[in-house]
Amino acid sequence: MSTLLVTESHLTEQAHQNMPYAKFIGLQIQIDCAQQLLFHVPFQAQNIGNTFLPAIHGGLIGGLIETAALLFVQHLHQSTHFARIIDYTIDYLRPGLAQSMYAQCQFTRQGKRISHLTVSVWQEDAARPIAFARVHCQMPSDA
Amino acid sequence: MNNVANAVVYEALKNYYLNLPHCQAIGLQFEQTIGTTPILSVPYQACLQAEQHSQRLHGGVMTTLMDVTCATAVSAHLIEVEALATLDLRIDYLQDALEQAPIFGRAQCHQLNDDIAFVRGTCYQASSQPHIIATATATFIRTALPTDVQQIITKAWIS
């Protein structure tokens, strides 16, 4: 198994262990070609929030955003504890269809006490996100 | 006791939301309606924990609870069955949740325009002192449904 696959499965396993909700939503952590963390939630029937389209539940999209933000901050800071989300806003841009979701995070400001990040969520095309979020985090004291 | 705009519409939409696969998966439950304020809840479950060693529900569960509670709050003002889609949702986390305890959500639609609904809600836990964990502010876009689709939903979700 390549080093990359070992790292990805290790990160995923750790996330599942440290954050039970991450396991519940079936989160998979991947590393993209730019060496950035990529959070992937494969489609499951339990993700549905609109049976007519069908579409993924907006609350689950929010859950992915929070999960991605916390794991991203912890990974980049190599901290033992998770940061604490102070507030976040999700803008829902397009319906999430019955397929995989991907999320990536970006620091807008990385501080000692407070960090600000943006999270983009998409399905087939990163340039056509289904949701976009701004997150304010309080950094853990050991960061 | 509730004083919703149309009891049949409210009942149908409320039941439709509660029975959505993701809502069922997290164990979302309906508590009661006071006036036009719905109250819903999610029981504590270890598989929905935020962290391995602290027995508190993850924010994603709170977000889902508040999204559904806010949509239900809009439904309390509707005359006909409509489709509601969340445009944006802001959550402020005021304080940590109590461990091993269910969470409750209540919301009020304070402005209903032709196309857009504005809602405010709180997520709390019932302890001897009110323990508010989070506030939510949501906007929804309304879409009219054809009569036959309205009837399908009403028939399916009124017991």
Side-chain angles (χ1 to χ4, degrees), chain B residues 90-158:
Chain B
R90 178 190 165 112
I91 311 279
D92 287 357
Y93 288 109
L94 304 188
Q95 56 182 333
D96 282 344
L98 302 168
E99 295 197 334
Q100 283 212 37
I103 55 172
F104 296 84
R106 58 189 300 158
Q108 181 62 235
C109 174
H110 57 96
Q111 180 72 21
L112 186 70
N113 294 343
D114 288 344
D115 297 299
I116 308 291
F118 297 85
V119 190
R120 289 189 203 113
T122 53
C123 180
Y124 61 99
Q125 288 172 305
S127 62
S128 54
Q129 308 265 333
H131 189 86
I132 300 177
I133 315 163
T135 57
T137 308
T139 59
F140 293 84
I141 182 164
R142 302 169 63 180
T143 308
L145 292 171
T147 325
D148 56 330
V149 177
Q150 291 184 45
Q151 283 169 357
I152 290 170
I153 295 173
T154 312
K155 244 189 175 162
W157 297 112
I158 299 289

Side-chain angles (χ1 to χ4, degrees), chain A residues 40-127:
Chain A
H40 172 211
V41 170
F43 178 74
Q44 300 177 73
Q46 72 171 31
N47 295 2
I48 291 292
N50 175 319
T51 48
F52 288 88
L53 287 173
I56 296 178
H57 200 284
L60 172 62
I61 297 174
L64 167 58
I65 288 166
E66 292 185 71
T67 299
L70 292 173
L71 291 171
F72 174 80
V73 171
Q74 187 192 45
H75 181 75
L76 262 75
H77 274 260
Q78 296 292 299
S79 47
T80 332
H81 302 293
F82 290 119
R84 197 183 171 284
I85 294 180
I86 299 167
D87 59 71
Y88 82 117
T89 302
I90 319 165
D91 292 332
Y92 294 98
L93 305 171
R94 298 175 174 87
L97 303 175
Q99 359 175 302
S100 281
M101 285 194 284
Y102 298 92
Q104 273 194 317
C105 307
Q106 200 164 36
F107 273 119
T108 355
R109 184 191 188 272
Q110 205 172 343
K112 266 202 179 135
R113 289 174 67 200
I114 302 291
S115 288
H116 182 275
L117 32 132
T118 58
V119 186
S120 190
V121 184
W122 71 93
Q123 295 187 295
E124 289 185 1
D125 183 355

Side-chain angles (χ1 to χ4, degrees), chain B residues 2-7 9-11 13-14 17 33-38 69-79 84 107-109 112:
Chain B
N2 77 58
N3 56 327
V4 302
N6 184 317
V9 168
Y10 182 67
E11 192 67 18
L13 283 173
K14 171 173 75 63
Y17 298 145
T33 309
I34 301 174
T36 51
T37 300
T69 306
C70 288
T72 310
V74 179
S75 307
H77 294 266
L78 299 179
I79 310 292
L84 294 174
Q108 181 62 235
C109 174
L112 186 70

